[in-house]
Amino acid sequence: MTRMTMIEALRSAMDVALNTDPNVIIFGEDVGYFGGVFRCTAGLQAKYGEERLFDTPINESAIVGLAVGMAAQGMKPCVEIQFADYVFPAYDQITQEAARLRHRSNGQFSCPLVVRMPTGGGIFGGQTHSQSPEALFTHVAGLKVVIPSTPHDAKGLLIAAIEDPDPVIFMEPKRIYNGPFYGDHSGKSVPWSDHADSEVPEGHYTVPLGKAAIRRSGADVTVLTYGTMVYVTEAAVKEAGVDAEIIDLRTLLPLDLETIVASVEKTGRCVVVHEATRTSGFGAELMAEVQEACFWHLRSPIQRVTGWDAPYPHAQEWDYFPSSARIARALTSAMED
Amino acid sequence: MTDAKLSFPHPPSRPDQAPDFSGIVIPEAGSLPVPPVDITAKDCWPFAVGLIRVLDDDNQAVGPWADYLGDIPAETLQLGLRDMLKMRAIDKRLQNAQRQGKTSFYLQCTGEEAIGCGFQRQLEQGDMNFPTYRQQTLLVAADYPLESLMGQLYSNELDPLQGRQLPIMHSARDYGFFSISGNLGTQYVQAVGWAMACALRGDGKIAAGWIGDGATASNDFHSALLSASVYQPPVVLNVVNNQWAISTYTGVAAGKSETYAARALGYGIPALRVDGNDYLAVLAVSRWAIERARAGYGPTLIEWFTYRAAAHSTSDDPSAYRARNEADAWPLGDPVARLKAHMIARGDWNDARHTQAEAELLDKVSEVQKRVEAHGTFVNPKPISPAEIFRGVYADLPEHLRRQRQEMGY
């Protein structure tokens, strides 16, 4: 075991995968010689060679399209989109090709592909370095969608994603690449080394896809969240003084409904928290699932705290990013019978 | 005041006009040499704007590309002719079946038979085509079982894809035929990725991308050419220029560019433009490009110059946008008629044998069609289990799909 940041954990996952399986291949913009704009692939090209890890032209459609062709032959491409905000040129290849290849070919071809992308806000990234487009992927049958929140999970989930036989959208909350973020943007940043979940095994291990993690056990209200908002919710729970159960979904598709339902049946209350815009966001799906499965256990309306239905702003970052205060208010409100 | 105004390309003729191909320059057969296999893009201009042709107006195989092919056994040509006639019989029977309501949709490749049939005969087992919906010819020349081909078209229990795909969207991995997608252009860059994997594995196999003239406008055409240029994998990138994209004249996709082949030169990819209705030219250039790829000289783009003689699909009526009998006026003629005439000129064929071969192939196709139809058609359905909808969305059935399947009653 060693202490790792999320960046180091992701790099370690790719190191392990490259070492374990000769079919694993990594490419994207600036990932090769330079090691990635977030350093996630630093040193790996020197270790494994250019044929395993290389730079690409700035063309997201080509990055994923090439990967689909490789994956169909049995290779295991793990490609990077530099920011989730720039995945849209590849949306056709992801949703119409990668997601459907196994189904439409009746299993003749499959697509064991991972598309990594830094996601989320809280870094003054403005409109095109802050988006959280997960709902645009959870709506697509055939994809799996993963968002880790700790270095330990990031490594285990990424290895599991690379080994998974289906295409996985792997979204990395860049706000917590270097340390957890509790929503306090005025204070000093917190390093991962102070956090228990930065203890990461050096070798191979997996965290299973499709399984949520309970980050805080509680009896009063269930919070369904993921990524950076896990930590902001932890801060909010302290502020509100409620005994909340925080569920870090980790995988959005397929969803761990069992863990969610067990928790809401216990607490009778539910708050959904995500950075992404509200309307038709993944929160709507979570609310619908909870309402369908737990209706008779609910003691108050399901609430959601999300980004506003506006493009991600620059100067007004902290009016946009869901704050611990907003989450605390929702928790308090959910506790009113 | 300004002199700036927009240009809107138009076809040379419309339904109320006579066909007009006077703007198309057809060089003489045999006028272009065979370039060295390591030719660079910048030396390829004459090949990219010219037209490689082997069969001349007297139905003789002439010129350097004929020499490159060498002595072709009569059996090879007969095989090519049979492939094309078989394709034509399938088109005839299935077009008819769609008109009878037995299948929901069909797409013919009339006039384009030589391209896929000839190209496929130059590939090896393990090479992979990334076809569009108008390359059933590749399957026919790969001797894909007609039961599977037609089962797919009828979406019945013989359908290898279990009814999930629109008719014509075949997938036949063992026959070097990648799963067809309705989304145009996507497969072109996937072919480059597959070829990159071939090179990484060092397995000696190649990939072939296919795209129509209209779909060259899609962003993945650019993605494919750029990727192929950057990484130099063993891929042959085919552009089938049949002059039409549904109702849209090829000039709308081409703009003022010289040819589609010429586009590749800007990417540093050697490119050739070929008479797509000349089976011998198809054989020769396919062999050259495939050998070039296999020998590690990198990608080649081939523009196959042809004409879409039939309607775009069974949902299309070309009389609404192009001259009547335009196909008859097409200066490169009909690929079947031209190969037939060449074989007769060689003394390897005659009208009686041709008529007999046509009849035999139509009988064979009809016989298989009857058997396949017995397994279900749209007018006499034998439904595939609805539970099939959920199989293969993922490798394993996730919980939410299991619940939906149960909700459906399976």
Side-chain angles (χ1 to χ4, degrees):
Chain A
M1 292 286 246
T2 184
R3 296 253 177 214
M4 293 188 195
T5 66
M6 189 180 282
I7 289 169
E8 290 162 344
L10 291 163
R11 187 191 305 148
S12 176
M14 288 185 270
D15 192 355
V16 166
L18 284 162
N19 198 40
T20 311
D21 185 347
N23 290 311
V24 172
I25 184 167
I26 292 171
F27 51 96
E29 296 156 17
D30 303 298
V31 304
Y33 183 85
F34 177 58
V37 295
F38 290 105
R39 317 308 301 150
C40 288
T41 53
L44 294 179
Q45 188 186 68
K47 187 170 177 183
Y48 293 97
E50 205 165 19
E51 293 203 329
R52 302 290 304 283
L53 200 147
F54 55 84
D55 291 315
T56 65
I58 303 172
N59 183 330
E60 287 76 15
S61 176
I63 291 169
V64 178
L66 294 174
V68 171
M70 291 180 182
Q73 206 197 47
M75 300 202 74
K76 296 216 159 228
C78 174
V79 301
E80 180 180 302
I81 303 293
Q82 204 160 74
F83 287 85
D85 313 65
Y86 302 133
V87 72
F88 301 104
Y91 200 61
D92 193 27
Q93 287 285 351
I94 292 172
T95 64
Q96 312 298 297
E97 301 292 324
R100 294 191 194 153
L101 190 52
R102 180 191 299 280
H103 190 257
R104 79 173 196 230
S105 71
N106 195 19
Q108 289 177 12
F109 300 94
S110 61
C111 200
L113 156 72
V114 177
V115 185
R116 291 178 45 238
M117 60 188 86
T119 187
I123 56 148
F124 283 103
Q127 299 210 347
T128 57
H129 299 80
S130 307
Q131 292 174 58
S132 298
E134 60 269 18
L136 293 165
F137 298 106
T138 55
H139 192 54
V140 181
L143 296 180
K144 295 181 179 177
V145 179
V146 175
I147 306 186
S149 72
T150 69
H152 179 273
D153 282 358
K155 179 173 175 182
L157 286 166
L158 183 54
I159 294 174
I162 292 170
E163 291 176 356
D164 194 89
D166 293 309
V168 180
I169 304 301
F170 196 90
M171 308 181 85
E172 303 165 2
K174 57 187 166 298
R175 185 63 188 76
I176 55 174
Y177 264 160
N178 288 304
F181 178 64
Y182 296 90
D184 178 10
H185 49 91
S186 60
K188 278 179 67 177
S189 59
V190 187
W192 274 119
S193 54
D194 293 345
H195 197 284
D197 283 331
S198 70
E199 286 276 356
V200 177
E202 298 207 40
H204 178 281
Y205 71 96
T206 58
V207 171
L209 306 188
K211 293 283 175 220
I214 296 172
R215 294 292 174 205
R216 182 191 190 283
S217 288
D220 289 350
V221 53
T222 299
V223 183
L224 304 178
T225 189
Y226 47 89
T228 306
M229 299 319 292
V230 169
Y231 302 98
V232 184
T233 300
E234 282 180 11
V237 167
K238 282 185 193 158
E239 279 176 51
V242 294
D243 185 22
E245 180 148 296
I246 302 175
I247 298 181
D248 174 3
L249 297 174
R250 300 197 291 195
T251 301
L252 306 193
L253 181 68
L255 187 64
D256 183 358
L257 200 56
E258 200 181 340
T259 298
I260 294 170
V261 169
S263 177
V264 177
E265 287 187 349
K266 178 177 72 176
T267 63
R269 303 168 199 276
C270 183
V271 173
V272 170
V273 181
H274 62 56
E275 288 181 59
T277 49
R278 179 171 302 176
T279 302
S280 301
F282 190 64
E285 181 62 28
L286 290 170
M287 293 170 84
E289 290 285 358
V290 169
Q291 190 276 145
E292 282 176 16
C294 310
F295 184 79
W296 300 108
H297 291 85
L298 287 173
R299 299 176 62 191
S300 65
I302 309 166
Q303 312 239 358
R304 60 180 148 172
V305 182
T306 70
W308 307 118
D309 281 340
Y312 205 105
H314 183 252
Q316 305 95 326
E317 172 116 66
W318 305 113
D319 298 304
Y320 185 93
F321 186 91
S323 64
S324 57
R326 276 181 65 205
I327 301 167
R329 278 200 296 280
L331 291 170
T332 307
S333 159
M335 291 308 297
E336 293 163 5
D337 274 312
Chain B
M1 281 294 287
T2 173
D3 290 332
K5 57 179 186 171
L6 300 183
S7 161
F8 299 96
H10 300 292
S13 57
R14 287 296 194 185
D16 55 347
Q17 297 167 317
D20 176 14
F21 288 117
S22 57
I24 292 179
V25 177
I26 306 292
E28 274 188 38
S31 58
L32 279 169
V34 178
V37 74
D38 61 349
I39 191 169
T40 59
K42 70 178 161 47
D43 291 330
C44 253
W45 181 257
F47 301 96
V49 301
L51 198 64
I52 295 169
R53 307 180 67 221
V54 170
L55 292 173
D56 69 8
D57 294 344
D58 297 324
N59 307 311
Q60 301 293 326
V62 299
W65 286 94
D67 299 339
Y68 172 77
L69 278 174
D71 288 328
I72 306 177
E75 296 74 40
T76 301
L77 298 182
Q78 282 169 15
L79 195 62
L81 190 67
R82 278 175 186 278
D83 289 342
M84 292 197 282
L85 288 175
K86 190 168 158 189
M87 185 67 250
R88 211 158 263 196
I90 292 165
D91 271 355
K92 181 178 175 158
R93 295 298 307 172
L94 268 298
Q95 172 81 7
N96 204 30
Q98 194 278 336
R99 292 298 185 232
Q100 295 169 336
K102 291 177 181 172
T103 176
S104 64
F105 182 75
Y106 193 70
L107 270 156
Q108 300 180 95
C109 65
T110 316
E112 302 175 32
E113 293 90 345
I115 300 160
C117 287
F119 190 88
Q120 178 64 42
R121 288 287 173 191
Q122 301 291 357
L123 290 175
E124 290 175 4
Q125 184 72 33
D127 295 336
M128 186 60 67
N129 284 296
F130 285 72
T132 75
Y133 45 65
R134 218 181 295 280
Q135 270 88 44
Q136 282 193 100
T137 44
L138 297 169
L139 286 174
V140 167
D143 291 322
Y144 184 55
L146 282 182
E147 289 78 2
S148 301
L149 184 138
M150 291 191 193
Q152 200 282 331
L153 299 171
Y154 288 112
S155 293
N156 65 21
E157 64 186 358
L158 297 181
D159 177 3
L161 309 182
Q162 291 296 290
R164 293 177 190 152
Q165 275 271 48
L166 185 72
I168 219 81
M169 305 288 184
H170 301 282
S171 179
R173 183 172 188 141
D174 295 343
Y175 293 82
F177 194 93
F178 189 74
S179 160
I180 294 179
S181 166
N183 294 56
L184 297 186
T186 52
Q187 80 289 344
Y188 219 48
V189 64
Q190 292 164 8
V192 178
W194 183 286
M196 287 170 71
C198 292
L200 288 168
R201 289 178 192 281
D203 64 6
K205 305 303 178 194
I206 72 144
W210 294 87
I211 204 165
D213 51 301
T216 61
S218 70
N219 53 4
D220 278 338
F221 178 73
H222 158 72
S223 302
L225 264 62
L226 179 62
S227 305
S229 174
V230 171
Y231 302 111
Q232 295 289 303
V235 66
V236 180
L237 294 166
N238 298 282
V239 177
V240 180
N241 176 5
N242 69 12
Q243 317 301 320
W244 291 97
I246 308 185
S247 74
T248 306
Y249 159 61
T250 195
V252 176
K256 295 291 183 197
S257 61
E258 195 78 19
T259 63
Y260 292 104
R263 292 198 165 163
L265 305 186
Y267 290 89
I269 297 175
L272 314 165
R273 188 162 165 270
V274 186
D275 179 349
N277 292 16
D278 177 342
Y279 186 79
L280 293 191
V282 174
L283 281 189
V285 176
S286 301
R287 180 184 298 176
W288 184 87
I290 290 165
E291 286 182 359
R292 188 183 125 81
R294 226 183 284 286
Y297 292 104
T300 309
L301 184 137
I302 307 172
E303 176 183 345
W304 304 104
F305 199 61
T306 185
Y307 182 81
R308 193 197 79 209
H312 165 70
S313 73
T314 49
S315 306
D316 175 48
D317 173 15
S319 73
Y321 51 81
R322 69 184 187 187
R324 274 182 202 288
N325 307 320
E326 204 181 56
D328 298 335
W330 176 242
L332 296 173
D334 174 80
V336 172
R338 284 174 66 193
L339 180 58
K340 174 191 170 191
H342 171 62
M343 289 163 65
I344 290 173
R346 276 173 53 124
D348 290 327
W349 200 241
N350 58 47
D351 279 318
R353 287 178 74 181
H354 190 85
T355 306
Q356 189 188 349
E358 260 182 330
E360 280 174 10
L361 284 162
L362 192 60
D363 279 355
K364 184 177 179 234
V365 167
S366 303
E367 181 267 318
V368 177
Q369 185 184 25
K370 279 201 192 76
R371 269 195 288 121
V372 174
E373 285 183 356
H375 290 270
T377 68
F378 259 47
V379 292
N380 181 25
K382 292 187 178 175
I384 296 166
S385 168
E388 275 297 312
I389 292 170
F390 298 104
R391 202 165 59 79
V393 179
Y394 298 91
D396 300 312
L397 194 72
E399 182 59 20
H400 69 291
L401 290 188
R402 194 189 60 76
R403 285 199 307 273
Q404 288 174 32
R405 193 180 68 185
Q406 275 182 344
E407 183 183 332
M408 191 200 231
Y410 293 86

